[in-house]
Short mmCIF file of all heavy atoms in Angstrom, two decimals:
data_model
loop_
_atom_site.label_atom_id
_atom_site.label_comp_id
_atom_site.label_asym_id
_atom_site.label_seq_id
_atom_site.Cartn_x
_atom_site.Cartn_y
_atom_site.Cartn_z
N ALA A 1 -138.83 142.60 247.76
CA ALA A 1 -138.40 141.79 248.84
C ALA A 1 -139.28 140.60 248.95
O ALA A 1 -140.51 140.68 248.87
CB ALA A 1 -138.38 142.55 250.09
N TYR A 2 -138.69 139.38 249.17
CA TYR A 2 -139.46 138.19 249.33
C TYR A 2 -139.68 137.91 250.82
O TYR A 2 -138.77 138.04 251.59
CB TYR A 2 -138.70 137.02 248.70
CG TYR A 2 -139.17 135.66 249.02
CD1 TYR A 2 -140.33 135.10 248.49
CD2 TYR A 2 -138.50 134.91 250.02
CE1 TYR A 2 -140.77 133.88 248.86
CE2 TYR A 2 -138.96 133.67 250.35
CZ TYR A 2 -140.09 133.17 249.84
OH TYR A 2 -140.54 131.95 250.19
N ARG A 3 -140.90 137.47 251.13
CA ARG A 3 -141.13 137.21 252.54
C ARG A 3 -142.04 135.92 252.58
O ARG A 3 -142.89 135.74 251.75
CB ARG A 3 -141.93 138.31 253.21
CG ARG A 3 -141.13 139.60 253.36
CD ARG A 3 -140.00 139.42 254.37
NE ARG A 3 -139.24 140.63 254.49
CZ ARG A 3 -138.01 140.83 254.03
NH1 ARG A 3 -137.45 139.90 253.33
NH2 ARG A 3 -137.42 141.99 254.21
N HIS A 4 -141.73 135.06 253.55
CA HIS A 4 -142.59 133.89 253.83
C HIS A 4 -143.49 134.29 254.95
O HIS A 4 -143.04 134.56 256.09
CB HIS A 4 -141.72 132.73 254.22
CG HIS A 4 -142.50 131.51 254.57
ND1 HIS A 4 -143.07 130.72 253.60
CD2 HIS A 4 -142.91 131.06 255.77
CE1 HIS A 4 -143.74 129.69 254.22
NE2 HIS A 4 -143.63 129.94 255.55
N LEU A 5 -144.75 134.44 254.68
CA LEU A 5 -145.76 134.81 255.70
C LEU A 5 -147.10 134.38 255.28
O LEU A 5 -147.35 133.97 254.12
CB LEU A 5 -145.68 136.31 256.00
CG LEU A 5 -145.98 137.26 254.81
CD1 LEU A 5 -147.39 137.78 254.90
CD2 LEU A 5 -145.01 138.43 254.84
N LYS A 6 -148.01 134.49 256.16
CA LYS A 6 -149.41 134.16 255.86
C LYS A 6 -150.14 135.53 255.82
O LYS A 6 -150.38 136.11 256.81
CB LYS A 6 -150.02 133.22 256.81
CG LYS A 6 -149.37 131.87 256.73
CD LYS A 6 -150.07 130.84 257.48
CE LYS A 6 -149.29 129.53 257.45
NZ LYS A 6 -149.96 128.37 257.17
N PHE A 7 -150.52 135.94 254.61
CA PHE A 7 -151.16 137.26 254.47
C PHE A 7 -152.37 137.05 253.52
O PHE A 7 -152.19 136.65 252.35
CB PHE A 7 -150.23 138.26 253.81
CG PHE A 7 -150.87 139.59 253.50
CD1 PHE A 7 -151.16 140.46 254.53
CD2 PHE A 7 -151.14 139.96 252.20
CE1 PHE A 7 -151.77 141.67 254.24
CE2 PHE A 7 -151.74 141.16 251.91
CZ PHE A 7 -152.06 142.01 252.97
N GLU A 8 -153.52 137.25 254.01
CA GLU A 8 -154.76 137.08 253.25
C GLU A 8 -154.83 135.81 252.47
O GLU A 8 -155.20 135.79 251.31
CB GLU A 8 -154.97 138.29 252.41
CG GLU A 8 -155.17 139.58 253.16
CD GLU A 8 -155.57 140.76 252.29
OE1 GLU A 8 -155.74 140.60 251.10
OE2 GLU A 8 -155.68 141.88 252.90
N GLY A 9 -154.35 134.70 253.09
CA GLY A 9 -154.43 133.39 252.45
C GLY A 9 -153.21 133.05 251.60
O GLY A 9 -153.09 131.94 251.11
N TYR A 10 -152.24 133.98 251.49
CA TYR A 10 -151.08 133.72 250.71
C TYR A 10 -149.90 133.38 251.64
O TYR A 10 -149.75 134.00 252.69
CB TYR A 10 -150.66 134.93 249.87
CG TYR A 10 -151.71 135.29 248.85
CD1 TYR A 10 -152.61 136.32 249.09
CD2 TYR A 10 -151.81 134.62 247.62
CE1 TYR A 10 -153.60 136.69 248.17
CE2 TYR A 10 -152.82 134.98 246.75
CZ TYR A 10 -153.65 135.98 246.99
OH TYR A 10 -154.66 136.28 246.09
N THR A 11 -149.14 132.37 251.32
CA THR A 11 -148.05 131.97 252.13
C THR A 11 -146.74 132.78 251.78
O THR A 11 -145.93 133.10 252.62
CB THR A 11 -147.75 130.47 251.95
OG1 THR A 11 -148.95 129.78 252.24
CG2 THR A 11 -146.65 130.00 252.82
N HIS A 12 -146.53 133.02 250.50
CA HIS A 12 -145.35 133.71 250.01
C HIS A 12 -145.74 135.07 249.36
O HIS A 12 -146.70 135.04 248.57
CB HIS A 12 -144.58 132.91 249.02
CG HIS A 12 -144.16 131.57 249.57
ND1 HIS A 12 -144.97 130.46 249.47
CD2 HIS A 12 -143.03 131.16 250.19
CE1 HIS A 12 -144.34 129.43 250.05
NE2 HIS A 12 -143.21 129.85 250.53
N VAL A 13 -145.00 136.13 249.69
CA VAL A 13 -145.35 137.41 249.16
C VAL A 13 -144.12 138.11 248.64
O VAL A 13 -143.05 138.08 249.28
CB VAL A 13 -146.00 138.31 250.28
CG1 VAL A 13 -146.30 139.72 249.72
CG2 VAL A 13 -147.25 137.67 250.81
N VAL A 14 -144.18 138.71 247.46
CA VAL A 14 -143.13 139.55 246.96
C VAL A 14 -143.69 140.95 246.87
O VAL A 14 -144.69 141.23 246.27
CB VAL A 14 -142.67 139.09 245.48
CG1 VAL A 14 -141.69 140.04 244.94
CG2 VAL A 14 -142.15 137.69 245.49
N ILE A 15 -142.94 141.84 247.48
CA ILE A 15 -143.36 143.26 247.50
C ILE A 15 -142.32 144.05 246.75
O ILE A 15 -141.11 143.93 246.99
CB ILE A 15 -143.49 143.79 248.92
CG1 ILE A 15 -144.54 142.97 249.72
CG2 ILE A 15 -143.81 145.25 248.98
CD1 ILE A 15 -144.64 143.23 251.17
N CYS A 16 -142.78 144.86 245.83
CA CYS A 16 -141.84 145.63 245.02
C CYS A 16 -142.30 147.12 245.08
O CYS A 16 -143.38 147.46 244.54
CB CYS A 16 -141.90 145.12 243.57
SG CYS A 16 -140.69 145.87 242.55
N GLY A 17 -141.49 147.96 245.65
CA GLY A 17 -141.80 149.38 245.72
C GLY A 17 -141.53 150.10 244.43
O GLY A 17 -140.60 149.77 243.72
N LEU A 18 -142.39 151.10 244.11
CA LEU A 18 -142.26 151.82 242.83
C LEU A 18 -141.89 153.28 243.07
O LEU A 18 -141.77 154.04 242.10
CB LEU A 18 -143.55 151.71 242.05
CG LEU A 18 -143.99 150.33 241.62
CD1 LEU A 18 -145.36 150.46 240.97
CD2 LEU A 18 -142.99 149.68 240.76
N GLY A 19 -141.79 153.74 244.32
CA GLY A 19 -141.48 155.16 244.57
C GLY A 19 -142.76 155.95 244.62
O GLY A 19 -143.86 155.45 244.43
N SER A 20 -142.64 157.25 244.85
CA SER A 20 -143.79 158.08 244.99
C SER A 20 -144.41 158.53 243.68
O SER A 20 -145.60 158.92 243.65
CB SER A 20 -143.44 159.29 245.85
OG SER A 20 -142.44 160.10 245.19
N ASP A 21 -143.67 158.54 242.57
CA ASP A 21 -144.20 158.99 241.34
C ASP A 21 -143.68 158.14 240.18
O ASP A 21 -142.86 158.58 239.36
CB ASP A 21 -143.82 160.47 241.08
CG ASP A 21 -144.55 161.05 239.93
OD1 ASP A 21 -145.64 160.60 239.57
OD2 ASP A 21 -144.08 162.04 239.38
N PRO A 22 -144.17 156.87 240.11
CA PRO A 22 -143.56 155.97 239.11
C PRO A 22 -143.92 156.28 237.66
O PRO A 22 -144.96 156.89 237.45
CB PRO A 22 -144.15 154.60 239.48
CG PRO A 22 -145.43 154.93 240.14
CD PRO A 22 -145.18 156.28 240.89
N ASP A 23 -143.09 155.99 236.77
CA ASP A 23 -143.40 156.08 235.35
C ASP A 23 -143.28 154.71 234.73
O ASP A 23 -142.92 153.72 235.39
CB ASP A 23 -142.45 157.12 234.66
CG ASP A 23 -141.02 156.69 234.71
OD1 ASP A 23 -140.72 155.50 234.84
OD2 ASP A 23 -140.13 157.59 234.62
N PRO A 24 -143.69 154.52 233.46
CA PRO A 24 -143.64 153.21 232.85
C PRO A 24 -142.26 152.47 232.90
O PRO A 24 -142.19 151.29 233.09
CB PRO A 24 -144.06 153.48 231.38
CG PRO A 24 -144.96 154.64 231.49
CD PRO A 24 -144.36 155.50 232.54
N GLU A 25 -141.18 153.22 232.84
CA GLU A 25 -139.86 152.63 232.91
C GLU A 25 -139.61 152.05 234.25
O GLU A 25 -139.02 150.98 234.43
CB GLU A 25 -138.77 153.62 232.51
CG GLU A 25 -137.37 152.96 232.49
CD GLU A 25 -137.25 151.78 231.53
OE1 GLU A 25 -137.93 151.72 230.54
OE2 GLU A 25 -136.36 150.91 231.87
N VAL A 26 -140.04 152.75 235.32
CA VAL A 26 -139.87 152.23 236.67
C VAL A 26 -140.68 150.90 236.80
O VAL A 26 -140.26 149.92 237.37
CB VAL A 26 -140.34 153.26 237.73
CG1 VAL A 26 -140.47 152.66 239.11
CG2 VAL A 26 -139.38 154.42 237.71
N VAL A 27 -141.91 150.91 236.25
CA VAL A 27 -142.77 149.74 236.32
C VAL A 27 -142.12 148.57 235.55
O VAL A 27 -142.10 147.44 236.00
CB VAL A 27 -144.16 150.03 235.78
CG1 VAL A 27 -145.07 148.80 235.68
CG2 VAL A 27 -144.88 151.07 236.72
N ARG A 28 -141.55 148.87 234.40
CA ARG A 28 -140.90 147.85 233.58
C ARG A 28 -139.74 147.22 234.33
O ARG A 28 -139.61 145.95 234.35
CB ARG A 28 -140.42 148.49 232.30
CG ARG A 28 -139.90 147.52 231.29
CD ARG A 28 -139.48 148.17 229.97
NE ARG A 28 -140.64 148.66 229.26
CZ ARG A 28 -140.96 150.03 229.18
NH1 ARG A 28 -140.15 150.90 229.63
NH2 ARG A 28 -142.06 150.36 228.53
N GLN A 29 -138.90 148.03 234.98
CA GLN A 29 -137.81 147.50 235.74
C GLN A 29 -138.24 146.71 236.96
O GLN A 29 -137.66 145.66 237.30
CB GLN A 29 -136.92 148.64 236.14
CG GLN A 29 -136.14 149.32 235.02
CD GLN A 29 -135.37 150.50 235.39
OE1 GLN A 29 -135.19 150.80 236.62
NE2 GLN A 29 -134.91 151.25 234.45
N ALA A 30 -139.32 147.17 237.63
CA ALA A 30 -139.87 146.48 238.74
C ALA A 30 -140.41 145.08 238.34
O ALA A 30 -140.18 144.05 239.06
CB ALA A 30 -140.97 147.26 239.39
N ALA A 31 -141.03 144.98 237.16
CA ALA A 31 -141.57 143.73 236.70
C ALA A 31 -140.39 142.72 236.46
O ALA A 31 -140.50 141.51 236.74
CB ALA A 31 -142.32 143.90 235.40
N GLY A 32 -139.29 143.27 235.94
CA GLY A 32 -138.12 142.41 235.72
C GLY A 32 -137.57 141.90 237.05
O GLY A 32 -137.21 140.71 237.19
N SER A 33 -137.58 142.71 238.08
CA SER A 33 -137.13 142.32 239.41
C SER A 33 -138.08 141.25 239.99
O SER A 33 -137.63 140.28 240.57
CB SER A 33 -137.07 143.52 240.33
OG SER A 33 -136.11 144.42 239.93
N VAL A 34 -139.38 141.47 239.80
CA VAL A 34 -140.34 140.50 240.26
C VAL A 34 -140.14 139.16 239.61
O VAL A 34 -140.18 138.09 240.27
CB VAL A 34 -141.79 140.99 240.08
CG1 VAL A 34 -142.79 139.88 240.32
CG2 VAL A 34 -142.08 142.19 241.03
N PHE A 35 -139.96 139.16 238.27
CA PHE A 35 -139.74 137.94 237.51
C PHE A 35 -138.56 137.21 238.05
O PHE A 35 -138.57 135.96 238.23
CB PHE A 35 -139.60 138.22 236.02
CG PHE A 35 -139.37 136.99 235.23
CD1 PHE A 35 -140.43 136.16 234.93
CD2 PHE A 35 -138.09 136.67 234.80
CE1 PHE A 35 -140.20 134.99 234.16
CE2 PHE A 35 -137.86 135.50 234.10
CZ PHE A 35 -138.92 134.67 233.77
N HIS A 36 -137.47 137.91 238.30
CA HIS A 36 -136.23 137.25 238.79
C HIS A 36 -136.45 136.69 240.17
O HIS A 36 -135.93 135.57 240.47
CB HIS A 36 -135.05 138.18 238.72
CG HIS A 36 -134.60 138.51 237.34
ND1 HIS A 36 -134.02 137.58 236.51
CD2 HIS A 36 -134.64 139.62 236.62
CE1 HIS A 36 -133.76 138.12 235.33
NE2 HIS A 36 -134.11 139.36 235.41
N ALA A 37 -137.17 137.40 241.00
CA ALA A 37 -137.45 136.84 242.32
C ALA A 37 -138.29 135.58 242.25
O ALA A 37 -138.03 134.56 242.96
CB ALA A 37 -138.21 137.87 243.20
N LEU A 38 -139.29 135.57 241.35
CA LEU A 38 -140.15 134.40 241.17
C LEU A 38 -139.30 133.23 240.66
O LEU A 38 -139.43 132.06 241.07
CB LEU A 38 -141.31 134.69 240.28
CG LEU A 38 -142.31 135.70 240.76
CD1 LEU A 38 -143.31 136.02 239.64
CD2 LEU A 38 -143.00 135.24 242.01
N SER A 39 -138.44 133.52 239.65
CA SER A 39 -137.61 132.50 239.03
C SER A 39 -136.66 131.89 240.03
O SER A 39 -136.41 130.70 240.07
CB SER A 39 -136.90 133.06 237.81
OG SER A 39 -137.76 133.50 236.85
N ALA A 40 -136.06 132.78 240.89
CA ALA A 40 -135.07 132.29 241.83
C ALA A 40 -135.66 131.32 242.85
O ALA A 40 -134.97 130.39 243.32
CB ALA A 40 -134.52 133.48 242.61
N HIS A 41 -136.98 131.45 243.09
CA HIS A 41 -137.63 130.49 243.98
C HIS A 41 -138.38 129.41 243.29
O HIS A 41 -139.15 128.66 243.90
CB HIS A 41 -138.58 131.30 244.93
CG HIS A 41 -137.80 132.19 245.88
ND1 HIS A 41 -137.16 131.73 246.98
CD2 HIS A 41 -137.57 133.54 245.86
CE1 HIS A 41 -136.58 132.73 247.59
NE2 HIS A 41 -136.81 133.87 246.90
N LYS A 42 -138.21 129.36 241.99
CA LYS A 42 -138.83 128.33 241.10
C LYS A 42 -140.36 128.32 241.18
O LYS A 42 -140.98 127.28 241.13
CB LYS A 42 -138.26 126.98 241.40
CG LYS A 42 -136.72 126.94 241.09
CD LYS A 42 -136.19 125.55 241.35
CE LYS A 42 -134.82 125.37 240.85
NZ LYS A 42 -133.70 125.81 241.49
N TRP A 43 -140.98 129.52 241.34
CA TRP A 43 -142.41 129.58 241.33
C TRP A 43 -142.90 129.48 239.93
O TRP A 43 -142.32 130.02 238.98
CB TRP A 43 -142.89 130.87 241.98
CG TRP A 43 -142.57 131.03 243.45
CD1 TRP A 43 -142.14 130.03 244.27
CD2 TRP A 43 -142.76 132.17 244.24
NE1 TRP A 43 -142.01 130.53 245.54
CE2 TRP A 43 -142.38 131.82 245.52
CE3 TRP A 43 -143.23 133.44 243.99
CZ2 TRP A 43 -142.46 132.74 246.60
CZ3 TRP A 43 -143.26 134.37 245.02
CH2 TRP A 43 -142.88 133.98 246.32
N THR A 44 -144.01 128.79 239.75
CA THR A 44 -144.57 128.61 238.43
C THR A 44 -145.87 129.41 238.23
O THR A 44 -146.41 129.46 237.17
CB THR A 44 -144.82 127.13 238.14
OG1 THR A 44 -145.72 126.61 239.14
CG2 THR A 44 -143.55 126.34 238.14
N ALA A 45 -146.36 130.02 239.33
CA ALA A 45 -147.58 130.81 239.20
C ALA A 45 -147.47 132.01 240.19
O ALA A 45 -146.85 131.88 241.24
CB ALA A 45 -148.78 129.96 239.50
N ALA A 46 -148.18 133.09 239.82
CA ALA A 46 -148.18 134.22 240.75
C ALA A 46 -149.44 135.06 240.44
O ALA A 46 -149.95 135.02 239.38
CB ALA A 46 -146.98 135.09 240.51
N GLU A 47 -149.85 135.77 241.45
CA GLU A 47 -150.93 136.75 241.34
C GLU A 47 -150.32 138.09 241.54
O GLU A 47 -149.61 138.34 242.47
CB GLU A 47 -152.07 136.44 242.29
CG GLU A 47 -153.21 137.39 242.21
CD GLU A 47 -154.33 137.09 243.16
OE1 GLU A 47 -154.54 135.92 243.43
OE2 GLU A 47 -154.95 138.05 243.66
N VAL A 48 -150.67 139.04 240.66
CA VAL A 48 -150.16 140.38 240.82
C VAL A 48 -151.27 141.32 241.18
O VAL A 48 -152.30 141.39 240.54
CB VAL A 48 -149.50 140.85 239.46
CG1 VAL A 48 -149.02 142.30 239.51
CG2 VAL A 48 -148.36 139.92 239.05
N GLU A 49 -151.04 142.07 242.25
CA GLU A 49 -151.98 143.13 242.64
C GLU A 49 -151.44 144.43 242.10
O GLU A 49 -150.34 144.85 242.47
CB GLU A 49 -152.10 143.16 244.19
CG GLU A 49 -152.76 141.99 244.80
CD GLU A 49 -154.24 141.85 244.50
OE1 GLU A 49 -154.88 142.91 244.30
OE2 GLU A 49 -154.70 140.74 244.47
N PHE A 50 -152.15 145.09 241.26
CA PHE A 50 -151.67 146.27 240.54
C PHE A 50 -152.49 147.44 240.85
O PHE A 50 -152.39 148.50 240.21
CB PHE A 50 -151.72 145.96 239.01
CG PHE A 50 -150.70 146.71 238.22
CD1 PHE A 50 -149.38 146.45 238.33
CD2 PHE A 50 -151.17 147.71 237.36
CE1 PHE A 50 -148.45 147.16 237.55
CE2 PHE A 50 -150.22 148.40 236.60
CZ PHE A 50 -148.90 148.14 236.69
N ASP A 51 -153.36 147.33 241.90
CA ASP A 51 -154.21 148.52 242.20
C ASP A 51 -153.41 149.56 242.98
O ASP A 51 -152.33 149.28 243.52
CB ASP A 51 -155.40 148.05 242.97
CG ASP A 51 -155.07 147.41 244.31
OD1 ASP A 51 -153.95 146.96 244.48
OD2 ASP A 51 -155.97 147.33 245.17
N SER A 52 -153.84 150.73 242.99
CA SER A 52 -153.32 151.92 243.68
C SER A 52 -151.95 152.37 243.11
O SER A 52 -151.31 153.21 243.65
CB SER A 52 -153.20 151.68 245.19
OG SER A 52 -152.15 150.78 245.53
N VAL A 53 -151.57 151.81 241.95
CA VAL A 53 -150.32 152.31 241.34
C VAL A 53 -150.67 153.63 240.70
O VAL A 53 -149.85 154.60 240.72
CB VAL A 53 -149.77 151.29 240.30
CG1 VAL A 53 -148.61 151.90 239.52
CG2 VAL A 53 -149.36 150.05 241.00
N THR A 54 -151.86 153.74 240.12
CA THR A 54 -152.31 154.98 239.51
C THR A 54 -153.83 155.00 239.52
O THR A 54 -154.46 153.97 239.65
CB THR A 54 -151.81 155.09 238.02
OG1 THR A 54 -152.22 156.37 237.49
CG2 THR A 54 -152.37 154.00 237.18
N THR A 55 -154.34 156.22 239.44
CA THR A 55 -155.81 156.33 239.44
C THR A 55 -156.30 156.67 238.04
O THR A 55 -157.50 156.69 237.79
CB THR A 55 -156.28 157.45 240.43
OG1 THR A 55 -155.62 158.68 240.06
CG2 THR A 55 -155.96 157.07 241.82
N SER A 56 -155.42 156.90 237.10
CA SER A 56 -155.76 157.27 235.74
C SER A 56 -155.93 156.01 234.87
O SER A 56 -155.01 155.23 234.86
CB SER A 56 -154.69 158.21 235.16
OG SER A 56 -154.83 158.25 233.74
N LYS A 57 -157.04 155.88 234.19
CA LYS A 57 -157.18 154.70 233.30
C LYS A 57 -156.15 154.72 232.17
O LYS A 57 -155.68 153.69 231.76
CB LYS A 57 -158.61 154.69 232.79
CG LYS A 57 -159.63 154.25 233.80
CD LYS A 57 -161.00 154.19 233.23
CE LYS A 57 -161.99 153.78 234.27
NZ LYS A 57 -163.32 153.67 233.77
N LYS A 58 -155.86 155.90 231.66
CA LYS A 58 -154.93 156.02 230.58
C LYS A 58 -153.53 155.59 231.06
O LYS A 58 -152.81 154.80 230.40
CB LYS A 58 -154.87 157.45 230.02
CG LYS A 58 -153.93 157.62 228.87
CD LYS A 58 -153.99 159.04 228.35
CE LYS A 58 -153.04 159.15 227.10
NZ LYS A 58 -153.00 160.44 226.59
N THR A 59 -153.10 156.04 232.19
CA THR A 59 -151.83 155.67 232.75
C THR A 59 -151.77 154.25 233.10
O THR A 59 -150.75 153.56 232.92
CB THR A 59 -151.50 156.59 233.97
OG1 THR A 59 -151.55 157.98 233.59
CG2 THR A 59 -150.10 156.31 234.48
N ALA A 60 -152.87 153.72 233.61
CA ALA A 60 -152.91 152.31 233.99
C ALA A 60 -152.64 151.41 232.84
O ALA A 60 -151.93 150.39 232.98
CB ALA A 60 -154.29 152.00 234.62
N SER A 61 -153.14 151.69 231.67
CA SER A 61 -152.86 150.86 230.50
C SER A 61 -151.41 150.91 230.11
O SER A 61 -150.81 149.92 229.75
CB SER A 61 -153.76 151.26 229.34
OG SER A 61 -153.46 152.49 228.83
N HIS A 62 -150.77 152.07 230.24
CA HIS A 62 -149.39 152.23 229.95
C HIS A 62 -148.53 151.41 230.97
O HIS A 62 -147.54 150.76 230.62
CB HIS A 62 -148.92 153.67 229.93
CG HIS A 62 -149.49 154.45 228.80
ND1 HIS A 62 -149.18 154.22 227.49
CD2 HIS A 62 -150.33 155.51 228.81
CE1 HIS A 62 -149.85 155.08 226.71
NE2 HIS A 62 -150.58 155.90 227.50
N PHE A 63 -148.93 151.47 232.22
CA PHE A 63 -148.23 150.77 233.29
C PHE A 63 -148.38 149.29 233.13
O PHE A 63 -147.43 148.52 233.33
CB PHE A 63 -148.71 151.22 234.66
CG PHE A 63 -148.19 152.54 235.14
CD1 PHE A 63 -147.36 153.33 234.31
CD2 PHE A 63 -148.50 153.02 236.40
CE1 PHE A 63 -146.88 154.58 234.75
CE2 PHE A 63 -148.03 154.25 236.88
CZ PHE A 63 -147.23 155.01 236.02
N LEU A 64 -149.57 148.84 232.76
CA LEU A 64 -149.78 147.37 232.56
C LEU A 64 -148.93 146.88 231.40
O LEU A 64 -148.35 145.79 231.43
CB LEU A 64 -151.29 147.12 232.35
CG LEU A 64 -151.60 145.62 232.26
CD1 LEU A 64 -151.16 144.90 233.50
CD2 LEU A 64 -153.14 145.50 232.17
N ARG A 65 -148.89 147.63 230.35
CA ARG A 65 -148.04 147.27 229.18
C ARG A 65 -146.59 147.21 229.65
O ARG A 65 -145.85 146.28 229.26
CB ARG A 65 -148.26 148.25 228.04
CG ARG A 65 -147.44 147.91 226.85
CD ARG A 65 -147.53 148.91 225.71
NE ARG A 65 -146.67 148.56 224.64
CZ ARG A 65 -147.00 148.55 223.39
NH1 ARG A 65 -148.23 148.98 223.04
NH2 ARG A 65 -146.15 148.20 222.48
N ALA A 66 -146.12 148.20 230.34
CA ALA A 66 -144.74 148.23 230.79
C ALA A 66 -144.41 147.01 231.70
O ALA A 66 -143.36 146.43 231.58
CB ALA A 66 -144.44 149.57 231.51
N PHE A 67 -145.39 146.73 232.54
CA PHE A 67 -145.19 145.56 233.50
C PHE A 67 -145.09 144.27 232.67
O PHE A 67 -144.18 143.47 232.86
CB PHE A 67 -146.35 145.49 234.46
CG PHE A 67 -146.13 144.40 235.52
CD1 PHE A 67 -145.41 144.73 236.66
CD2 PHE A 67 -146.63 143.15 235.41
CE1 PHE A 67 -145.14 143.79 237.67
CE2 PHE A 67 -146.41 142.18 236.37
CZ PHE A 67 -145.66 142.54 237.49
N THR A 68 -145.93 144.09 231.66
CA THR A 68 -145.87 142.92 230.82
C THR A 68 -144.52 142.83 230.06
O THR A 68 -143.96 141.78 229.96
CB THR A 68 -147.03 142.96 229.87
OG1 THR A 68 -148.26 143.01 230.58
CG2 THR A 68 -147.07 141.69 229.00
N GLU A 69 -144.11 144.00 229.49
CA GLU A 69 -142.84 144.04 228.81
C GLU A 69 -141.66 143.62 229.78
O GLU A 69 -140.77 142.89 229.36
CB GLU A 69 -142.60 145.38 228.19
CG GLU A 69 -143.43 145.70 227.05
CD GLU A 69 -143.34 147.17 226.59
OE1 GLU A 69 -142.53 147.91 227.20
OE2 GLU A 69 -143.98 147.52 225.58
N GLY A 70 -141.70 144.16 231.00
CA GLY A 70 -140.69 143.84 231.94
C GLY A 70 -140.60 142.35 232.31
O GLY A 70 -139.57 141.84 232.54
N LEU A 71 -141.77 141.66 232.27
CA LEU A 71 -141.77 140.24 232.56
C LEU A 71 -141.21 139.42 231.45
O LEU A 71 -140.53 138.41 231.69
CB LEU A 71 -143.25 139.73 232.80
CG LEU A 71 -143.91 140.24 234.04
CD1 LEU A 71 -145.33 139.73 234.08
CD2 LEU A 71 -143.14 139.71 235.25
N ILE A 72 -141.35 139.83 230.19
CA ILE A 72 -140.88 139.05 229.10
C ILE A 72 -139.55 139.39 228.53
O ILE A 72 -138.99 138.68 227.71
CB ILE A 72 -141.93 138.98 227.94
CG1 ILE A 72 -142.20 140.39 227.38
CG2 ILE A 72 -143.21 138.31 228.41
CD1 ILE A 72 -143.12 140.41 226.18
N LEU A 73 -139.03 140.63 228.93
CA LEU A 73 -137.71 141.02 228.42
C LEU A 73 -136.58 140.49 229.29
O LEU A 73 -136.63 140.18 230.31
CB LEU A 73 -137.65 142.53 228.37
CG LEU A 73 -138.61 143.16 227.31
CD1 LEU A 73 -138.47 144.71 227.37
CD2 LEU A 73 -138.28 142.65 225.93
#
């Protein structure tokens, strides 16, 4: 969901829920949704907060890869 607000110095915020037990495919699809939201508003830059998605370093690397794939596919 896109929101116009002032949050910790940011004017525009996109929040994308992943559910209670996300897997790499969920993360990949979420990244695609985020990309489309950014594109629809013609944003050329974004910062992604990816903390608290997982506590496992192994899973984190899989999720980051899936997120990247979702952005470029």
Side-chain angles (χ1 to χ4, degrees):
Y2 165 78
R3 296 288 181 256
H4 177 81
L5 59 101
K6 293 191 184 223
F7 175 74
E8 294 186 6
Y10 298 99
T11 304
H12 302 89
V13 178
V14 174
I15 300 170
C16 188
L18 300 175
S20 61
D21 191 24
D23 61 24
E25 183 58 29
V26 169
V27 172
R28 188 176 294 108
Q29 291 175 11
S33 295
V34 168
F35 179 79
H36 289 295
L38 297 174
S39 296
H41 294 284
K42 297 183 169 79
W43 292 352
T44 58
E47 180 177 325
V48 176
E49 293 291 332
F50 207 69
D51 61 342
S52 75
V53 173
T54 183
T55 57
S56 164
K57 288 183 181 182
K58 183 177 181 181
T59 305
S61 66
H62 292 295
F63 283 4
L64 186 56
R65 180 182 178 138
F67 188 85
T68 304
E69 290 172 357
L71 290 177
I72 61 176
L73 295 178

